[in-house]
Amino acid sequence: MASESPPGPEQRLAALARLPHFAGLERGLVERVAACTRPRTLRAGEAVFQAGEACEGFFVVLAGAVKLYRLSPEGREQVVHRVGPGRSFAEAALFNIGRYPVHAAAAATPTELLLVEGTSFLALFRGEPRLAQGMVGSLCQRLLTLVGRVEELSLTSAAARLAHHLLRLPARGSGERLAVELAGPKKDLAAELSMTPETLSRLLRRFTERGLLEGRGRRLVLRDPDALTAIAEGAETPPA
Amino acid sequence: MASESPPGPEQRLAALARLPHFAGLERGLVERVAACTRPRTLRAGEAVFQAGEACEGFFVVLAGAVKLYRLSPEGREQVVHRVGPGRSFAEAALFNIGRYPVHAAAAATPTELLLVEGTSFLALFRGEPRLAQGMVGSLCQRLLTLVGRVEELSLTSAAARLAHHLLRLPARGSGERLAVELAGPKKDLAAELSMTPETLSRLLRRFTERGLLEGRGRRLVLRDPDALTAIAEGAETPPA
DNA sequence: CGGTGCGTTGACATTTCTCAACTGTTGTGG
DNA sequence: CCACAACAGTTGAGAAATGTCAACGCACCG
């Protein structure tokens, strides 16, 4: 399968340069980061690492997607985060505790990752203050994202959480025809929004019946963003 | 009121040196950080900053507490985070977006803060790679905390969220007499756990009736941590 | 084909919220 | 010192939202 060949050095370099952490760095420096990386290719469902494992380094997603999750003792999985192309994860494990705090598994086939090897990257980091600058900025960005997630989960009604989430998806089009696409299977979305798949399904139907939404499967069109905003902010869903 | 005098330079220095960001730095460097700070004293309810305001810098809590929250259009406040002594907040605003993303207000009287002034601190930061090291580490710590919060909020039952929270409070004693103290008023705790004060009250009573908990007001004794753990992990609260 | 996993739907049980009333405490001003 | 307002906390009753369990359709894949 020639189409699944591992990414060449050029590809790695380009991916790293686009990463918020390293944006704006001179090429030579990015090359030195690239020298710390190893590619890894996975199929959907394959584990990247297990919670508790010693940290080898952090990862950059080149293609596909990775989900980070916890496993409750009964086996129910709670998705903490979903990481798409051009994003990285597990920096905190590297810089802080030395162990991965959650499970990570590929959520698409194929998923191409870059492992930024911990030991050599840390050595590089210590000698290059400019690396720090970008890392701090992008970790802060991550923090803000998580704060957003906390807010989302704090919304008490499931309808509000869903509306909030839909509005934050990257959208195409404008006005009353915002086309969005769900990132993964609906059961994952349900877990992410802390509700059951059944509830998600019913809510989507209700939104559709009221003309707020249109479409089937993962491709949706938001017909009435204002109404969705109102729902996200806690307004009661009108009885009609 | 002599007891409320603003913190002297020595106090500031000590507080900064204890901050995870700057732990392990040589004294001279911490002094240069201290030179960027200004003290601020507030009473409960007073605002530190409003969401959307331009960022002056980040803050360190010396005494008292600060709550970070959003305001829904209807005025309902959602506590994103509560920051106690020895902790800092709003770094992300400084390093990333230049505006405060949430509201911040004092939650105790008196609350003593240190404003680490943005412009001068950033200048210092750029010139001192060793600062970066610690900042990255402690921001990662913050990230992990937030991931923990996401997990907590992801727990579907209110009882599980409460049990989870109780178990994570700093505790004194051991075995079956873990003494903990709630950080603030119960209505704030309720908001933090995304439930109503009524539900919180009823849950506490139920826990107490079942012998899992003891005490009144904000001082509680956890009598059966194992049972609480089971509840936090989703086990049904036994009918008896 | 037959299986496996996702998504949907329905009926039902349970949790949690809402609304309202009541208690106890604190702080204020008379 | 007391009466009073303001607020946190508690309690109860009923309504609404959500989870649970179970069945079914549908696509995909061997």
Side-chain angles (χ1 to χ4, degrees), chain B residues 197-210:
Chain B
E198 292 96 323
T199 301
L200 175 60
S201 176
R202 286 187 252 260
L203 285 172
L204 284 173
R205 185 159 66 102
R206 211 163 84 203
F207 285 0
T208 305
E209 279 168 0
R210 297 193 182 162

Side-chain angles (χ1 to χ4, degrees), chain A residues 95 118-129 131, chain B residues 129 133:
Chain A
F95 279 95
T119 319
S120 44
F121 179 73
L122 280 180
L124 185 57
F125 183 87
R126 275 188 260 275
E128 285 291 345
L131 273 182
Chain B
Q133 183 83 325

Side-chain angles (χ1 to χ4, degrees), chain B residues 21-36:
Chain B
H21 297 171
F22 308 127
L25 291 183
E26 61 192 72
R27 186 184 165 93
L29 199 43
V30 180
E31 276 170 355
R32 291 172 63 195
V33 174
C36 304

Side-chain angles (χ1 to χ4, degrees), chain B residues 63-76:
Chain B
V66 169
K67 60 183 179 182
L68 308 179
Y69 59 96
R70 289 256 180 182
L71 237 37
S72 74
E74 300 90 35
R76 176 168 173 152

